[in-house]
Amino acid sequence: MARFARAPGATRRTSFAGGAGQGLFVRFLLVVLLLPTGLVHALTLDVKVEGLEGQPQANVLALLAIHQERADPELTPERVLGLHRLAPEQIREALAPFGFYRVAVEDRLEPPAAADGRWTAVYRVAPGAPVKIGSVDYQVTGEGADNPAFPKEFPMRVGDVLLHAAYEKAKSDLRYTASSEGYLDTQLLRHQVLIDPVAYDARVEFHLDTGPQYRIGAVSFKQDLLDEGLLRRYVKFKPGVVYDPDLLLGLQGRLLGTEYYSDVEIVPLTDQAGPNHEVPIEVIAKRNLPNKYRIGLGYATDVGPRLSMDWHRRYLNRWGHKLRTELSLAPALSNLELDYRIPIQDPTRDYIIVKPQSTYTDTATRKGWVHTIQAAHSTLTPRGWRRNLGLDYRYEDLELTDDASASPGATSELVPNFSWSKTVSDDPINTNRGYRIKYSLLGAVEGLVSEASYLSGQIQFKWVRRFAERYRFITRTDLGATLADSVDDLPASRRFYAGGDNSIRGWGFDALGPNDPDTDAAVGGRYLAVGSLELERQIKGPWSAAIFTDFGNAFDPDYEQRFAQSAGFGVRWASPIGQVRLDLAFALTKDQGDDEGGLPPARLHIVIGPDL
């Protein structure tokens, strides 16, 4: 507990201003008598506090009742007088946490000079010198007396100004240290602050007895869903470690994060600790609902209106296998995907993924089916990178829309692939600071199912940064290169194209790339270089406006190299599911043909989704 005494010298002087003696009293009485008759206007009150600044002033205003009630429409003269009488003591109480115990308050209340109902309360405060700590009596006893986790000296020292917040923080930190070091029976034998009103200093007394140090014992599980061997892989500590509540909270968070369970309770069985002070831990987990369904409607310029449905099976068996299926239907791109995951090694980071997938594409450049089945090992590294190492079997039957004769036709291939990806953001939905980066490498060997040999690498990067409060700068780049004898050796889905909502706006989805000189049909390329710069400014609330430019293209040495660039502007709405972006992009390098007015061709782009 903390005890405080008011120091001598704290003074108060009260006055009514605006006249002297009998005249002032008569005027005040007249105001009070006329108020019920309706002959005076509604009461208004101005409150002024002088002589303070910063946090002390803010605390005074927060605790000063006359200031808080000054705009109350039902305020009466009697209430004003009552609040005014309380104000000096409230000011002193508000300044005590900052060490001020010799506070002088000169208060003045000015009744209205006429029937306009305006009152003025003025408080001139002289806080005086803050009290300082004169002595500290700090003791740690028990088994933890020599534990280096406890500071050798109390965090507040002789000569420091007595700040109540600093004392409470020091007390809280010491209790947290005791808890995290396994001292569950800690007692505060003495904890108080005494103010000497004569010497005008403070004495801090803090005696802590740690009691015995406890350790975590065996962990048992009470649940009916998963194999206990799998569950034990979620326990990141071994029996015998110092009892730390944060270790148990971490275990609880990991189990809830799996979605296997709807509720997880960690029960320390302290009554079973025994003479060695090892506390058995019981984990009580309630299984979650097995199925989760979702259906959604959306729209993007690249693919048109889109219907999506997915089914998530949270658990399939006692080894924690999961299944997710997703169906997406859109005019330009439809997809059916199954995602089967098997937790391995550290189940919070590692899993085997088996993913069959069928995709139908109908764009300006390609039309047909691609069927794949992927098996991969995925792991999350300590630095936050998601690493995938996999093998894909792919069968595709795609034709180049504008030139069927140049289409590679039906092909099969076996493709080893490797990728690293990482996303860092302050908000995954509406990002102020963050980035997303992905490196990928894949290839095929002729004769090993595949009909040609190639090696392809790609880097994708997007960066978002808010500055000057209302502005965001967004940049992205997409670079790719493929080593192959000819672009004709590559399956259509392995060629690089550009254009679309997330590439170069102003053109359709995958509409850009090397063109056949005879047919002017896009055939795709072995290289890709696309970039974008965007500046966004908040207008009001969730609404903002943006200007941007996109540039680059897909290239191939066997064809004419064409650089493409667009520029435009758009509006943004920060919705709960991510930004809704409407952009009007002008294709600056596009042949204008018969367009009138001299403006480059324009295209509207609509995208809904998170920034990263």
Side-chain angles (χ1 to χ4, degrees), residues 512-528:
L512 287 171
N515 290 358
D516 187 290
D518 298 326
T519 64
D520 202 35
V523 296
R526 284 174 282 174
Y527 299 93
L528 177 70

Side-chain angles (χ1 to χ4, degrees), residues 585-605:
F586 296 89
L588 303 179
T589 57
K590 189 174 185 179
D591 185 4
Q592 299 185 33
D594 297 329
D595 291 347
E596 297 180 356
L599 290 175
R603 183 179 178 89
L604 181 66
H605 294 266

Side-chain angles (χ1 to χ4, degrees), residues 332-364:
L333 186 67
S334 296
N335 183 70
L336 173 63
E337 176 182 298
L338 279 74
D339 187 320
Y340 191 95
R341 298 193 178 191
I342 305 170
I344 61 172
Q345 298 170 325
D346 181 348
T348 63
R349 295 175 175 270
D350 307 307
Y351 54 83
I352 296 293
I353 181 171
V354 180
K355 183 184 293 186
Q357 183 175 2
S358 292
T359 303
Y360 181 76
T361 303
D362 186 1
T363 68

Side-chain angles (χ1 to χ4, degrees), residues 544-565:
S544 57
I547 56 173
F548 60 85
T549 180
D550 302 335
F551 43 86
N553 209 333
F555 307 96
D556 194 273
D558 295 340
Y559 294 88
E560 179 185 356
Q561 312 298 312
R562 296 182 179 180
F563 176 80
Q565 184 176 11

Side-chain angles (χ1 to χ4, degrees), residues 82-95:
L83 294 173
H84 178 66
R85 284 192 293 267
L86 296 174
E89 189 61 31
Q90 291 174 346
I91 291 173
R92 294 188 184 92
E93 291 177 359
L95 291 175

Side-chain angles (χ1 to χ4, degrees), residues 319 399 574:
W319 298 283
E399 65 178 32

